[in-house]
Amino acid sequence: MCDESRSAAAPGLHPDSVGGAVLVVGAGEAGSRVAGALASRGAPVVVLSPDGSPGVELPPLSKKLFAESLTLTAHSVDPAAADSGPGHAVSGGSSVALLQGAAVELDLDTRSVRLDTGEWVHGSAIVIATGSAARILDIELPGGPAFTLHSAADAQAIREHLAALRSGSAQDTPVDIGIIGSGFLALELARGAVDAGHTATVHLNGPRPLPRLSAPLSDAVMALHESAGVRFVPHSTPVDYVARDFWITAVGAQAATDFAGRGVQRTSAGALLTDAHLRVLAAGGAPLEAVYAIGDCGQVAHGPMAAYGPQESEPVAASQGEWLGRCLGAASNHAESPGPAEPDPSEHVEPGHSAPTAAWSDLPWHWSFQGPVRVFTAGMSAAASQGEPVVLGDLATGSGQVALFASEADDAPLVGVETLGPPKPHLAARRLLASGTVPTRAQVSAPDFDLVVASRLAGSGHVRA
């Protein structure tokens, strides 16, 4: 978390440079969180959104796509606002303005963004929170049309096509859906379709789904879905594709950062590389002054959080947005006051989160609800760990954990935990990993080891779900 008692709380943002509004490019999870944190501290904020409105919460799109109704919840860019329409600014002390326009160019020298309207908007700081867009599979698929699912408009298009298919036949006739992808989204869609009475075939790129997770957990999840009727085609290639009523491709996403130009460093997926303070790295490697990237469009490349690799999840986007908003808000308050910013008395360090620090360092975690199958991750991924994982519980029953370690050595520390089933062990894992006192491979491998008990011994307190 950000230490608001520091006089220079926002790295790269000097007190004499914060006379104008912070410019937040994007109104999704990360953008709305940073705007909300700034607004709660009275700092001026301009939020850019392509359609002039906040984005919607994305998780329900995949989990409820095949339900009878799909309720979409818009993000709030200003907790004090009753209205979030285009150009909205709240009186009575609030300082948020929502501006319609898509970013098409970034001028790093002047910290300005050109919109598709031709207008240039300047910010005392720029926070890039543009998220990502679905990758399009460049192949013609047999049978019905192909969709992606990365927005409310995508969800509406799929639901309308599904309704059209069913209107011409008996309502209980299953629709045959082909899904291409191996990640969380593909499994959420497949299980949702089967539970709604349709057939779903998932074409995998490798031997099992969820390639970034451990083999024991991935195999268990695959078996649970197969028992419910989901079909899998491992090592699938285009020759395995047969005509379906329609397709959904879930083959990853590309960060929406083209507008940032060539003067910045990116990953192969388009994410902007940042330092430990979430400042965007220039092409030469130095962090840019008061230009940040958070959420799916950024990836930490320096500091201890760099070891965690890509973190494309709603909890991480929310954490980075809130942390950066507090830092920028503290710097803004400092610029307007002759003395250091007073810490907000409502701020506190929650168990399961890092202590106040000069860099973002919250423990990364993720969740995926695939019908009744619940998957949680905390800490480093299986791909970033070393040696054989240790399985706790009986994954075949849908309840257990997989412990991940820094090396194959017996004294290697625990670095990550995957959980299948109820959230209690996951919350315990987050508390344990964030405590700074983690067990070793030898300790976790002991027959009497209990992760929940170990987390209580490491420290007590509530971990927010």
Side-chain angles (χ1 to χ4, degrees), residues 49-146:
S49 170
D51 62 359
S53 61
V56 299
E57 294 182 1
L58 295 181
L61 297 185
S62 57
K63 298 164 182 63
K64 300 293 185 180
L65 182 66
F66 299 101
E68 290 187 7
S69 62
L70 178 62
T71 301
L72 300 178
T73 303
H75 292 295
S76 173
V77 297
D78 181 2
D83 178 19
S84 295
H88 169 65
V90 183
S91 59
S94 184
S95 52
V96 179
L98 187 58
L99 183 64
Q100 181 171 351
V104 296
E105 184 180 351
L106 173 63
D107 188 324
L108 296 173
D109 294 330
T110 63
R111 286 202 298 274
S112 301
V113 172
R114 182 168 65 87
L115 307 183
D116 53 357
T117 61
E119 178 183 4
W120 282 91
V121 184
H122 170 74
S124 59
I126 293 179
V127 180
I128 301 172
T130 44
S132 58
R135 286 200 180 106
I136 305 299
L137 196 62
D138 188 20
I139 185 175
E140 185 174 347
L141 297 170

Side-chain angles (χ1 to χ4, degrees), residues 259-319:
F259 76 96
R262 298 181 178 180
V264 295
Q265 293 189 21
R266 291 183 176 84
T267 68
S268 60
L272 301 175
L273 294 180
T274 74
D275 69 357
H277 308 286
L278 308 183
R279 294 177 292 187
V280 174
L281 300 180
L288 293 168
E289 189 79 2
V291 179
Y292 306 86
I294 57 176
D296 290 358
C297 67
Q299 180 174 326
V300 178
H302 292 171
M305 300 308 292
Y308 290 86
Q311 294 296 325
E312 301 163 357
S313 76
E314 295 270 318
V316 169
S319 169

Side-chain angles (χ1 to χ4, degrees), residues 427-451:
L427 297 177
R430 285 169 54 191
R431 184 165 54 240
L432 182 60
L433 289 167
S435 70
T437 305
V438 295
T440 65
R441 176 185 291 275
Q443 291 171 323
V444 175
S445 300
D448 60 347
F449 178 80
D450 187 298
L451 189 146

Side-chain angles (χ1 to χ4, degrees), residues 19 28 45 78 82 111 156 183 188 247 309 334 413 428:
V45 190
D78 181 2
R111 286 202 298 274
Q156 185 63 27
E188 290 166 4
W247 295 82
H334 176 83

Side-chain angles (χ1 to χ4, degrees), residues 22 50 63 95 128 148 150 162 195 226-227 235 274 281 318 322 335-336 374 385 398 401 403 415 457 465:
V22 174
K63 298 164 182 63
S95 52
I128 301 172
T148 59
H150 212 72
L162 183 62
D195 288 348
E226 284 180 322
S227 67
H235 300 290
T274 74
L281 300 180
E322 291 176 354
E336 298 170 1
R374 306 292 200 252
S385 67
Q401 295 77 48
V415 295
L457 294 174

Side-chain angles (χ1 to χ4, degrees), residues 113-284:
V113 172
R114 182 168 65 87
L115 307 183
D116 53 357
T117 61
E119 178 183 4
W120 282 91
V121 184
H122 170 74
S124 59
I126 293 179
V127 180
I128 301 172
T130 44
S132 58
R135 286 200 180 106
I136 305 299
L137 196 62
D138 188 20
I139 185 175
E140 185 174 347
L141 297 170
F147 299 92
T148 59
L149 183 63
H150 212 72
S151 68
D154 292 340
Q156 185 63 27
I158 294 172
R159 289 176 64 84
E160 288 176 355
H161 184 72
L162 183 62
L165 287 174
R166 305 201 78 177
S167 66
S169 61
Q171 288 295 306
D172 58 353
T173 301
V175 173
D176 185 17
I177 304 168
I179 299 171
I180 301 176
S182 302
F184 289 117
L185 177 59
L187 297 192
E188 290 166 4
L189 291 168
R191 187 55 184 263
V194 167
D195 288 348
H198 307 299
T199 63
T201 302
V202 182
H203 291 263
L204 303 173
N205 185 50
R208 59 179 64 89
L210 308 178
R212 292 174 65 177
L213 271 58
S214 67
L217 190 130
S218 297
D219 286 339
V221 169
M222 184 174 177
L224 290 169
H225 288 315
E226 284 180 322
S227 67
V230 178
R231 304 168 184 168
F232 290 92
V233 182
H235 300 290
S236 182
T237 66
V239 299
D240 299 309
Y241 304 157
V242 298
R244 308 286 181 190
D245 290 329
F246 69 90
W247 295 82
I248 304 177
T249 61
V251 291
Q254 190 76 12
T257 60
D258 288 348
F259 76 96
R262 298 181 178 180
V264 295
Q265 293 189 21
R266 291 183 176 84
T267 68
S268 60
L272 301 175
L273 294 180
T274 74
D275 69 357
H277 308 286
L278 308 183
R279 294 177 292 187
V280 174
L281 300 180

